């Protein structure tokens, strides 16, 4: 058993960062400055005088180079790779700490990262092994490269156009997680690898953020398989180099919509990785590997091999909390113990042997026996076939695990051989005996003579069975609960619901529409219009006492308003007479209309005052006061345009379009009126109000329109509206 080797690296200071803001430093435990540092020192976020110290396998400061880290940490694992061990190397840290630089590196020879140097050393060792063995050992390398973007696996060796929206799927194979449909390319030389690697990195998802100009938006996994063939023996080992995307704080990166989706996926996978490490450190029974594809592929603590974690840290103060969080994660990760198990060599062309069970001994299959004549099967079968005239029995032997018992008749032996499985054979004498419990032999029922049953016994059995069935039915009938009767009210409601569902509501919907319109008029204080709507709804609800009461109240209220208006008119008339006789009239209490102002302030009672029946309720105070309100400007009558008169449509009701239009208007159906062009809900209500009695009564007789000119004179309808109605009917025809 061994633990995960954790190596910490502090990236160099950038040009935009100040030296006074560097708070992370490397230190050695024994205080010797010449020795390799093994601890990270960082002050507390709340108290800078309190220093935290974290111990790791190795620590590299800002002056360390790529070659130094590779020679000290990665190069020793190559010999284990060729000895049959699996190797996993992954970089961890927040965004902008140099993970991709550590794993991939730059283009120059000195800036090459861990992955190019690892492949270069592997190819050199392959050539050395082949040279030392004199060609007896052949080493082959196959490469696969994929990314985990938004928790979906995509092959980087294939073009992005060939990707599917769901990505590649993961499967478990022999305790390891494999990617189904992943491309594996053989690489014979380092140049071929560099060509494939550079082409695949172009397909990787990267983008610029506020903290990093070339931020990785996915986890990249590079796997290369080393296959060593020596004669008939094949040894396979795998090395995985993983460049994890860094966790991000969207408040600092200023990510857009797409970048925030990527950031959420990255943070989720890293959070699941932290949960897995926490569960392993606490020895929990369930490790949540399957909550993320990245943790399922990485499988910390489950892979049998060497694991190296490179912790990348930023030295400046702006990463203070993120650095402490990364150090705590790495401190828990180094405590994970893994099994360093060597991969077993396989015979060439054969599958890997299946390990035997941990308890008990393995049972080997017995070789097949040669067929020998058996008297108990062949001879007896031939005699039976000759007696019955059937086809002869098959000449093959059936062996059973039971020993032949002397004194048992031949027919019992045949019955036993029929019941035994032909796949079972007795064990050899040399094989160890198995401690199996002997099967209990069932009694031979064929030897038992059948019991004789008389006719009376059969009739008694039938009668008893019928009696039991009748009794059971009687119990079921009495246990059933009686169905309660439905009351008349519930039955009536059910019938109304059925009529509504079937569309046979007998005009109730139209009546409810009138009631709703009446309620709206009442809320606005238009009592007269509300009374008209109530009177229209009364036709659909003739026996509704509540509706009758509302109509009566509205009529009484309108009469009271009419009496109050007549009283106001008498007072104003008397004031006007006194003004003519030379008395002074208070202009503040007796306002003049526009017509009176045009006449020089002279009041003409017969022309200016209307009948009380024609005064709308909006012109009266709701509190029945005696204050007079001036009459609003009279609406001029709308004339039908001359074009309509010349076409013969103004007064001629004989054309089909005119008849149809007048029929729709005179039907007073609000639904049909709303279907006309240029007529909305409010205009349809206004037309119905005019047709139901106009402004001349309290919901009295109805008005019938006989011509288009009369239709154009209605309130709310003009010449343009009539033209639109006719045009809509023309298109409908």
């Amino acid at each position: 058993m061994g633990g995960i080797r954790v190596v910490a690296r502090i990236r160099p200071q950038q040009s935009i960062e100040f030296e006074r803001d560097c708070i992370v430093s490397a230190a050695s435990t024994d205080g010797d400055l010449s020795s390799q540092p093994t601890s990270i020192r960082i002050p507390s976020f709340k108290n800078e005088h309190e220093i935290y110290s974290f111990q790791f396998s190795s620590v590299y400061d800002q002056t360390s180079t790529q070659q130094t880290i590779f020679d000290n940490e990665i190069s020793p694992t190559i010999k284990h790779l060729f000895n049959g061990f699996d190797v996993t190397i992954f970089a961890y840290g927040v965004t902008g700490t140099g993970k991709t630089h550590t794993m991939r590196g730059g283009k120059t020879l000195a800036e090459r990262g861990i992955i190019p140097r690892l492949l270069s050393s592997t190819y050199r060792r392959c050539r050395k092994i082949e040279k030392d063995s004199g060609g007896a050992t052949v080493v082959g390398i196959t490469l696969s490269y994929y990314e985990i973007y938004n928790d979906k696996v995509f092959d980087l060796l294939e073009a992005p156009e060939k990707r599917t929206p769901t990505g590649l799927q993961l499967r478990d194979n022999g305790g390891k997680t494999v990617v189904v449909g992943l491309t594996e390319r053989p690489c014979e030389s380092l140049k071929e690898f560099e060509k494939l690697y550079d082409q695949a990195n172009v397909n990787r998802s990267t983008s610029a953020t506020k903290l990093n100009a070339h931020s990785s938006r996915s986890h990249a996994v590079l796997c290369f398989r080393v296959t060593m063939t020596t004669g008939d023996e094949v040894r396979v080992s795998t090395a995985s180099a993983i460049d994890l995307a860094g966790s991000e704080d969207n408040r600092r990166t200023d990510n857009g919509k797409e970048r925030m989706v990527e950031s959420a996926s990255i943070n989720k996978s890293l959070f699941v990785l932290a949960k897995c490490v926490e569960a392993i450190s606490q020895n929990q029974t369930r490790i949540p590997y399957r909550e993320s594809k990245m943790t399922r592929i990485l499988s910390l603590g489950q892979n049998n091999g060497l694991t190296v974690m490179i912790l990348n840290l930023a030295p400046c103060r702006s990463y203070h909390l993120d650095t402490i969080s990364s150090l705590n994660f790495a401190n828990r990760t180094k405590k994970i113990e893994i099994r360093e198990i060597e991969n077993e060599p396989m015979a060439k062309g054969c599958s890997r042997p299946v390990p035997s069970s941990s308890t008990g001994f393995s049972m080997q299959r017995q070789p097949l026996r040669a067929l020998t004549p058996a008297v108990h099967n062949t001879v007896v079968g031939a005699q039976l076939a000759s007696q019955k005239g059937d086809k002869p029995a098959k000449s093959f032997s059936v062996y059973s695990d039971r020993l032949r018992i002397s004194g048992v008749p031949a027919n019992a032996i045949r019955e036993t051989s029929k019941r035994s499985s032909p796949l079972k054979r007795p064990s050899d004498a040399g094989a160890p005996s198995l401690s199996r419990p002997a099967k209990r032999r069932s009694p031979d029922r064929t030897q038992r003579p059948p019991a004789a049953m008389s006719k009376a016994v059969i009739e008694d059995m039938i009668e008893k069975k019928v009696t039991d069935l009748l009794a059971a039915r009687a119990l079921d009938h009495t246990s059933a609960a009686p169905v309660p009767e439905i009351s008349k009210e519930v039955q009536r409601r059910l019938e109304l619901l059925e009529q509504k569902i079937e569309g046979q509501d007998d005009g109730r919907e139209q009546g409810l529409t009138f009631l709703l319109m009446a309620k709206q008029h009442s809320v606005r204080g238009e009592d007269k219009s509300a009374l008209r709507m109530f009177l229209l709804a009364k036709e659909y609800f003739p026996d509704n006492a509540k509706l009758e009461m509302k109509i009566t109240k509205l009529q009484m209220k309108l009469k009271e308003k009419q009496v109050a208006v007549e009283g106001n008119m008498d007072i104003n008339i008397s004031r006007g007479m006194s003004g003519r006789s030379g008395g002074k009239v208070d202009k503040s209490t007796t306002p003049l209309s526009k017509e009176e102002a045009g006449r020089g302030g002279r009041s003409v009672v017969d022309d200016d005052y209307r009948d009380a029946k024609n005064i709308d309720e909006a012109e009266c105070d709701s509190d029945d006061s005696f204050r007079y309100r001036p009459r609003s400007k009279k609406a001029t009558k709308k004339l039908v345009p001359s074009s309509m008169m010349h076409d013969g449509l103004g007064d001629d009701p004989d054309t089909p379009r005119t008849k149809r239009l007048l029929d729709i208007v005179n039907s007073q159906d609000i639904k049909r009126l709303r279907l006309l062009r240029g007529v909305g809900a409010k205009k349809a209500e206004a037309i119905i109000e005019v047709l139901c009695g106009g402004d001349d009564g309290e919901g009295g007789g109805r008005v019938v329109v006989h011509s288009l000119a009369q239709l154009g004179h209605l309130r709310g309808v003009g010449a343009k509206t009539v033209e639109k109605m006719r045009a809509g009917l023309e298109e409908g025809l």
Side-chain angles (χ1 to χ4, degrees):
M1 298 290 288
I4 296 177
R5 183 174 178 84
V6 179
V7 179
R9 183 185 186 184
I10 305 173
R11 69 161 172 81
Q13 181 180 348
Q14 296 179 357
S15 59
I16 60 175
E17 297 173 349
F18 298 100
E19 187 175 356
R20 64 175 180 271
D21 292 334
C22 295
I23 57 175
V24 182
S25 60
S28 55
T29 55
D30 54 359
D32 188 5
L33 299 177
S34 61
S35 61
Q36 175 67 32
T38 56
S39 64
I40 292 289
R41 297 173 63 85
I42 183 172
S44 173
F45 184 76
K46 296 182 178 180
N47 185 11
E48 293 187 357
H49 299 286
E50 182 181 359
I51 305 299
Y52 294 151
S53 180
F54 296 88
Q55 298 287 336
F56 299 111
S57 300
S58 299
V59 175
Y60 296 90
D61 56 8
Q62 303 181 27
T63 60
S64 61
T65 61
Q66 301 274 59
Q67 185 67 37
T68 304
I69 296 175
F70 178 79
D71 292 340
N72 295 342
E73 306 300 335
I74 309 302
S75 183
T77 62
I78 298 177
K79 62 180 181 180
H80 296 287
L81 179 66
F82 283 90
N83 290 333
F85 291 93
D86 293 338
V87 178
T88 302
I89 305 166
F90 69 97
Y92 180 88
V94 299
T95 181
T97 54
K99 298 181 297 301
T100 304
H101 177 76
T102 301
M103 299 300 293
R104 189 196 303 180
K107 293 294 183 181
T108 62
L109 189 63
E111 293 296 328
R112 287 190 308 164
I114 288 175
I115 293 176
R117 295 176 187 271
L118 178 62
L119 266 296
S120 178
S121 300
T122 303
Y123 279 112
R124 287 199 303 268
R125 194 171 186 87
C126 289
R127 290 194 296 267
K128 183 177 183 301
I129 291 174
E130 291 177 351
K131 183 179 179 180
D132 294 343
S133 63
T137 302
V138 180
V139 183
I141 296 177
T142 57
L143 178 70
S144 61
Y145 195 20
Y146 58 94
E147 69 173 353
I148 306 173
Y149 176 73
N150 286 344
D151 208 31
K152 298 176 184 177
V153 181
F154 298 107
D155 193 351
L156 292 177
L157 297 180
E158 295 289 342
E161 295 80 14
K162 297 182 180 180
R163 293 181 178 180
T164 59
T166 57
L168 303 178
Q169 302 300 318
L170 302 182
R171 296 290 184 271
D172 292 333
N173 184 17
K176 295 182 179 180
T177 302
V178 296
V179 182
V180 180
L182 187 64
T183 304
E184 290 189 354
R185 301 281 182 88
C187 294
E188 302 296 336
S189 62
L190 183 61
K191 289 185 178 180
E192 188 176 352
F193 160 74
E194 290 177 350
K195 182 179 178 181
L196 287 174
Y197 187 60
D198 292 340
Q199 182 181 359
N201 285 327
V202 174
N203 299 332
R204 188 181 176 187
S205 301
T206 58
S207 180
T209 62
K210 189 176 180 181
L211 298 180
N212 192 354
H214 301 281
S215 177
S216 302
R217 314 309 298 168
S218 63
H219 309 295
V221 182
L222 175 71
C223 298
F224 62 93
R225 183 176 300 172
V226 180
T227 306
M228 300 176 58
T229 306
T230 306
D232 294 338
E233 185 178 288
V234 179
R235 185 187 296 273
V236 179
S237 55
T238 305
S240 302
I242 305 173
D243 179 17
L244 298 178
S247 59
E248 294 181 349
D249 187 356
N250 292 320
R251 295 171 297 182
R252 298 176 58 197
T253 55
D254 290 343
N255 288 333
K257 181 178 180 181
E258 185 178 358
R259 300 286 86 80
M260 288 186 71
V261 174
E262 298 168 351
S263 176
S265 178
I266 293 170
N267 292 340
K268 176 191 172 184
S269 59
L270 295 176
F271 176 70
V272 175
L273 178 61
K275 286 174 60 178
C276 294
V277 172
E278 184 71 20
I280 294 172
S281 62
Q282 295 180 1
N283 296 325
Q284 296 182 5
T285 56
R286 179 186 177 275
I287 312 299
Y289 290 115
R290 291 181 174 269
E291 293 185 7
S292 174
K293 290 186 178 180
M294 186 267 289
T295 55
R296 188 176 175 185
I297 291 172
L298 190 58
S299 297
L300 287 179
Q302 284 191 337
N303 47 1
N304 302 327
L306 302 175
T307 303
V308 179
M309 172 183 170
I310 301 177
L311 175 64
N312 293 87
L313 302 173
C316 55
R317 190 181 300 274
S318 58
Y319 289 86
H320 199 161
L321 289 177
D322 295 330
T323 302
I324 293 177
S325 177
S326 299
L327 290 170
N328 288 327
F329 172 80
N331 196 36
R332 292 192 299 267
T333 304
K334 71 178 183 181
K335 301 177 184 178
I336 298 176
E337 295 183 354
I338 57 176
R339 298 182 297 273
E340 298 178 358
I341 301 176
E342 179 183 353
N343 293 329
E344 298 178 2
M346 299 181 298
K348 190 175 182 180
C350 300
S351 60
R352 183 174 295 182
V354 180
S356 59
S357 176
S358 59
T359 59
F361 55 88
S362 61
M363 298 176 57
Q364 299 180 356
R365 296 183 63 84
Q366 303 172 6
L368 296 176
R369 296 181 179 181
L371 292 176
T372 56
V375 178
H376 72 281
N377 202 8
T378 308
V379 179
V380 176
Q383 293 177 358
L384 293 175
S386 61
Q387 293 176 4
K388 298 182 180 180
D390 299 334
K391 61 182 180 179
K394 296 179 181 179
S395 58
F396 60 84
S397 299
V398 178
Y399 297 94
S400 63
D401 290 338
R402 293 186 184 278
L403 298 177
R404 187 168 182 176
I405 304 172
S406 59
V408 180
N411 57 357
I413 295 175
R414 284 197 300 272
E415 291 292 331
T416 306
S417 63
K418 289 179 182 178
R419 286 194 299 270
S420 62
S421 173
L423 300 177
K424 295 182 180 180
R425 295 194 301 272
S427 60
D428 292 341
S433 61
L434 301 176
S435 58
R436 277 186 199 168
K439 295 181 180 179
R440 180 179 297 177
R441 185 178 179 182
S442 59
D444 194 356
R445 297 181 181 178
T446 57
Q447 303 296 331
R448 186 180 301 171
M453 299 178 65
S454 62
K455 186 177 180 180
V457 174
I458 295 174
E459 290 180 355
D460 292 340
M461 291 175 62
I462 293 173
E463 186 177 358
K464 184 178 180 182
K465 192 71 175 176
V466 171
T467 304
D468 293 342
L469 288 174
L470 293 176
R473 288 183 181 179
L475 290 174
D476 293 341
H477 183 70
T478 55
S479 61
V483 180
E485 295 183 358
I486 302 176
S487 62
K488 294 182 179 180
E489 182 66 21
V490 176
Q491 187 68 28
R492 186 180 65 81
R493 292 186 179 181
L494 291 175
E495 291 176 357
L496 291 176
L497 287 175
E498 291 177 357
Q499 291 177 1
K500 188 172 183 180
I501 293 172
E502 296 174 0
Q504 301 174 358
D505 52 353
D506 298 333
R508 284 179 56 86
E509 184 178 356
Q510 185 68 23
L512 293 174
T513 305
F514 286 132
L515 287 176
L516 179 60
M517 293 168 61
K519 187 174 181 181
Q520 293 175 352
H521 286 303
S522 298
V523 171
R524 292 195 295 263
E526 301 172 357
D527 296 335
K528 199 170 185 180
S529 301
L531 179 60
R532 295 194 195 105
M533 295 297 106
F534 279 133
L535 290 174
L536 291 175
K538 184 179 178 182
E539 298 179 2
Y540 301 97
F541 307 100
D543 299 330
N544 196 322
K546 190 174 181 180
L547 182 59
E548 293 284 351
M549 188 181 300
K550 287 185 178 181
I551 292 173
T552 305
K553 287 183 179 180
L554 281 175
Q555 289 177 349
M556 293 176 63
K557 186 176 180 180
L558 289 174
K559 287 182 180 179
E560 292 176 358
K561 287 185 178 181
Q562 182 179 352
V563 172
V565 170
E566 290 177 353
N568 288 340
M569 291 175 62
D570 293 340
I571 293 173
N572 288 319
I573 290 171
S574 61
R575 289 179 179 177
M577 296 298 292
S578 62
R580 287 196 187 104
S581 61
K584 293 183 180 180
V585 180
D586 190 2
K587 293 184 180 180
S588 62
T589 58
T590 310
L592 298 176
S593 63
K594 290 184 179 181
E595 295 179 1
E596 292 173 346
R599 298 188 185 99
R602 191 167 45 87
S603 175
V604 181
V605 178
D606 295 338
D607 295 335
D608 293 341
Y609 290 100
R610 297 170 292 166
D611 189 10
K613 296 182 180 180
N614 295 330
I615 297 178
D616 191 67
E617 68 274 10
E619 299 176 1
C620 303
D621 290 333
S622 57
D623 55 354
D624 297 335
S625 63
F626 290 98
R627 183 181 177 185
Y628 171 72
R629 290 190 179 183
R631 181 183 175 186
S632 60
K633 183 179 179 181
K634 264 191 175 181
T636 58
K637 291 187 178 180
K638 296 180 182 179
L639 302 177
V640 179
S642 58
S643 60
M644 296 174 57
M645 301 298 295
H646 293 315
D647 293 340
L649 300 177
D651 296 322
D652 187 8
D654 296 334
T655 59
R657 282 181 296 171
T658 304
K659 285 184 177 181
R660 186 176 177 186
L661 179 59
L662 295 179
D663 290 341
I664 293 174
V665 173
N666 291 326
S667 65
Q668 300 182 7
D669 190 351
I670 191 170
K671 291 184 177 180
R672 296 180 65 186
L673 284 172
R674 291 181 63 179
L675 293 176
L676 295 174
R677 178 181 292 183
V679 179
K682 293 184 177 180
K683 188 170 289 187
E685 292 178 7
I687 293 173
I688 290 178
E689 290 180 10
V690 173
L691 295 178
C692 290
D695 295 333
D696 300 331
E698 302 174 1
R702 297 188 178 183
V703 178
V704 179
V705 180
H706 299 285
S707 63
L708 295 180
Q710 188 178 359
L711 178 60
H713 293 164
L714 295 180
R715 186 179 63 183
V717 182
K720 293 183 179 179
T721 305
V722 175
E723 289 181 358
K724 290 180 181 180
M725 292 179 184
R726 290 175 61 252
L729 289 177
E730 183 177 359
E731 293 178 1
L733 292 174

